[in-house]
């Protein structure tokens, strides 16, 4: 952005908290004894896809605390993110356990989700008033996932329900509808984060199969989001659950408008096949779906993004995300072209505030600072 930016309050919609040892040790007190013993014997045993993404080196070089892993030290998170950028609220999405949907053992996956959510509430949300949490669920057993949402969905620090982009079925499939019913009843957005594509029991990451390199895997993430979004619309999810909101995290943004142009055109020609879809698909998106900014596309001319923002109605669909503490962290002062004051206010605070029910920011809290 410009050299001088407003120090407006920010809501960061994608922050990755981790365990100190990068493993499961901190979860043992929250797990049934049988699973504690299994983990001690065999490890966490989550499925991966084998791409080289740096592993524990896929983080900012300065984000490593004296002890532990990036994202595991609250004081460092305060220093580098919350205090540095006047982040009023940061939504924690976890890291190690997001591939829950890759596990063939549905009971173990549900137990991990239960344990992680209790750890999140007790060890993170209770320690810092600016933190909010996305609760994890395991979709292998939808009734168990519904019970988990019922169990902690009313907790004031829990603001959304989180699953991975990688899945066995597109999320509009009717087997998931009980999840949307309980999300709607609790006022919780249903959020998807990239990851787990092609891992474990999930389907292959793209219609062409598996690429050889991580960069190939990274580029097909929007294909998964396109699939899920099409499924949500044409399975009638937004008609059946009119108060449901869905968030797509870390899957790009520039693809949205051309995709919706094609979707609207196909709906007009094929609407007789899905008569319950009563409006053009784009209208459901403008009303029900939100996207996060990181990783923001980087055209040769940064100002070209402003045209994309216009097409995508960024003032109502785009929310800021830093992806702290990963290597491709987006600084709020550097990641965007020059925005109008109103658009900046919408992206950095207001759209997320409306979605998650956060307080209105006092304009008097804004002040001018010089960007690094």
């Amino acid at each position: 952005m410009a050299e001088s930016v407003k120090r407006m309050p920010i809501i960061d919609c994608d922050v990755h908290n981790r365990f100190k040892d990068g493993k499961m040790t901190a979860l043992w007190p929250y797990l049934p004894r049988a699973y504690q013993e299994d983990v001690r014997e065999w490890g966490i045993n989550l499925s991966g896809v084998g791409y080289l993404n740096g592993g524990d080196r896929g983080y900012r070089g300065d984000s490593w605390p004296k002890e532990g892993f990036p994202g595991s030290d609250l004081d460092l998170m305060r220093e580098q993110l919350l205090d540095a950028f006047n982040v009023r609220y940061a939504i924690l999405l976890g890291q190690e356990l997001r591939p829950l949907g890759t596990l063939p053992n549905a009971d173990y996956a549900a137990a991990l989700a239960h344990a992680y959510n209790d750890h999140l509430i007790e060890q993170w949300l209770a320690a810092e008033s600016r933190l909010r949490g996305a609760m994890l669920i395991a979709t292998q057993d939808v009734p168990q996932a519904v019970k988990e949402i019922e169990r902690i969905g009313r907790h004031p620090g829990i603001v959304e329900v989180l699953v991975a982009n990688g899945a066995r079925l597109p999320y509009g499939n009717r087997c998931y509808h009980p999840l949307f019913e309980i999300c709607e009843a609790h006022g919780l957005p249903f959020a998807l984060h990239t990851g787990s594509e092609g891992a474990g029991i999930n389907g292959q990451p793209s219609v062409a199969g598996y690429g050889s390199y991580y960069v190939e895997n990274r580029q097909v993430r929007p294909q998964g989001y396109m699939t899920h979004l099409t499924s949500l619309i044409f399975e009638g999810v937004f008609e059946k659950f009119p108060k449901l909101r869905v968030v797509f995290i870390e899957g790009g943004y520039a693809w949205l408008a051309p995709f919706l142009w094609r979707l609207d055109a196909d709906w007009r020609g094929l609407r007789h096949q899905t008569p319950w879809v009563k409006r053009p698909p784009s209208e459901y998106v403008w009303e029900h779906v939100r996207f996060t900014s990181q990783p923001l596309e980087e055209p040769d001319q940064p100002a070209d993004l402003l045209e994309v923002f216009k097409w995508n109605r960024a003032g109502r669909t785009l929310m800021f995300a830093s992806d702290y503490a990963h290597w491709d962290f987006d600084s709020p002062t550097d990641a965007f072209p020059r925005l109008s004051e109103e658009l900046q206010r919408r992206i950095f605070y207001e759209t997320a505030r409306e979605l998650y029910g956060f307080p209105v920011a006092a304009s008097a809290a804004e002040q001018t600072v010089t960007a690094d």
Side-chain angles (χ1 to χ4, degrees):
M1 293 181 60
E3 292 184 2
S4 179
V5 297
K6 287 217 174 203
R7 190 174 171 81
M8 62 172 58
I10 288 173
I11 298 172
D12 190 339
C13 297
D14 184 9
V15 177
H16 294 285
N17 54 306
R18 295 192 64 187
F19 303 118
K20 282 287 185 184
D21 61 1
K23 300 178 182 178
M24 281 262 306
T25 307
L27 287 189
W28 286 352
Y30 303 94
L31 280 171
R33 183 173 178 178
Y35 291 127
Q36 292 181 20
E37 295 174 357
D38 285 345
V39 170
R40 286 190 179 96
E41 182 71 21
W42 305 105
I44 184 173
N45 204 29
L46 287 176
S47 303
V49 289
Y51 293 115
L52 298 179
N53 182 25
D56 287 329
R57 299 198 178 277
Y59 294 86
R60 287 173 38 171
D62 65 348
S63 68
W64 288 79
K66 293 180 180 179
E67 296 182 3
F69 286 79
S72 69
D73 188 287
L74 179 54
D75 287 336
L76 192 57
M77 184 182 293
R78 288 186 180 116
E79 175 188 337
Q80 294 184 334
L81 181 68
L82 303 181
D83 297 337
F85 298 107
N86 194 25
V87 174
R88 187 70 57 85
Y89 299 102
I91 301 177
L92 301 181
L93 305 184
Q95 182 65 37
E96 291 92 348
L97 292 185
R98 278 189 290 104
L100 286 174
T102 67
L103 292 168
N105 187 332
D107 292 328
Y108 176 48
L112 287 177
H114 187 291
Y116 170 82
N117 292 332
D118 283 350
H119 179 272
L120 171 69
I121 290 170
E122 294 183 13
Q123 303 300 324
W124 286 94
L125 305 187
E128 169 57 64
S129 63
R130 290 172 289 183
L131 298 180
R132 297 294 186 271
M135 65 174 293
L136 297 183
I137 59 169
T139 58
Q140 295 92 320
D141 187 329
V142 169
Q144 285 198 72
V146 168
K147 289 180 180 179
E148 182 66 6
I149 298 170
E150 290 176 334
R151 185 179 74 89
I152 61 169
R154 299 292 185 189
H155 188 284
I158 297 298
V159 297
E160 66 188 0
V161 173
L162 182 65
V163 297
N165 180 23
R168 287 181 294 168
L169 291 170
Y171 284 120
N173 189 280
R174 63 195 65 187
C175 73
Y176 298 117
H177 288 195
L179 294 175
F180 303 139
E181 182 178 7
I182 193 67
C183 284
E184 185 180 55
H186 284 67
L188 293 171
F190 184 80
L192 291 69
H193 190 290
T194 52
S196 302
E197 301 90 348
I201 61 175
N202 291 338
Q204 60 188 29
S206 78
V207 295
Y210 292 80
S212 300
Y213 305 103
Y214 173 64
V215 66
E216 296 177 77
N217 175 265
R218 194 173 168 92
Q219 298 312 307
V220 300
R221 289 171 175 173
Q223 293 181 16
Y225 278 177
M226 292 176 190
T227 301
H228 292 308
L229 185 54
T230 304
S231 176
L232 288 163
I233 292 169
F234 286 100
E235 292 277 0
V237 168
F238 299 126
E239 286 289 342
K240 188 174 182 180
F241 306 102
K243 295 181 180 179
L244 180 70
R245 298 295 181 266
V246 176
V247 183
F248 288 91
I249 302 168
E250 205 173 316
Y253 186 60
W255 57 267
L256 179 61
F259 173 69
L260 291 180
W261 297 338
R262 185 182 183 93
L263 213 58
D264 283 356
D266 283 349
W267 169 79
R268 285 191 288 269
L270 299 170
R271 59 188 299 182
H272 63 283
Q273 296 183 359
T274 55
W276 49 85
V277 183
K278 300 175 181 178
R279 295 186 286 162
S282 59
E283 292 188 12
Y284 292 106
V285 172
W286 308 142
E287 182 177 346
H288 292 271
V289 185
R290 302 294 176 261
F291 301 83
T292 62
S293 60
Q294 196 284 334
L296 198 61
E297 288 84 357
E298 301 180 23
D300 291 338
Q301 299 297 322
D304 290 346
L305 272 178
L306 297 179
E307 191 67 21
V308 174
F309 286 0
K310 190 183 303 182
W311 296 341
N312 289 352
R313 304 191 185 186
R316 67 186 298 181
T317 64
L318 185 61
M319 306 185 298
F320 172 73
S322 71
D323 198 32
Y324 181 86
H326 283 131
W327 61 270
D328 51 353
F329 166 83
D330 273 357
S331 164
T333 59
D334 298 329
F336 288 77
R338 183 185 292 273
L339 305 174
S340 69
E341 184 174 341
E342 172 63 13
L343 186 55
Q344 183 171 304
R345 184 180 65 85
R346 295 291 309 175
I347 292 172
F348 283 93
Y349 195 88
E350 284 299 316
T351 299
R353 179 195 69 76
E354 294 167 357
L355 179 68
Y356 298 113
F358 294 142
V360 174
S363 58
E366 297 178 3
Q367 52 187 308
T368 300
V369 297
T370 300
D372 293 336

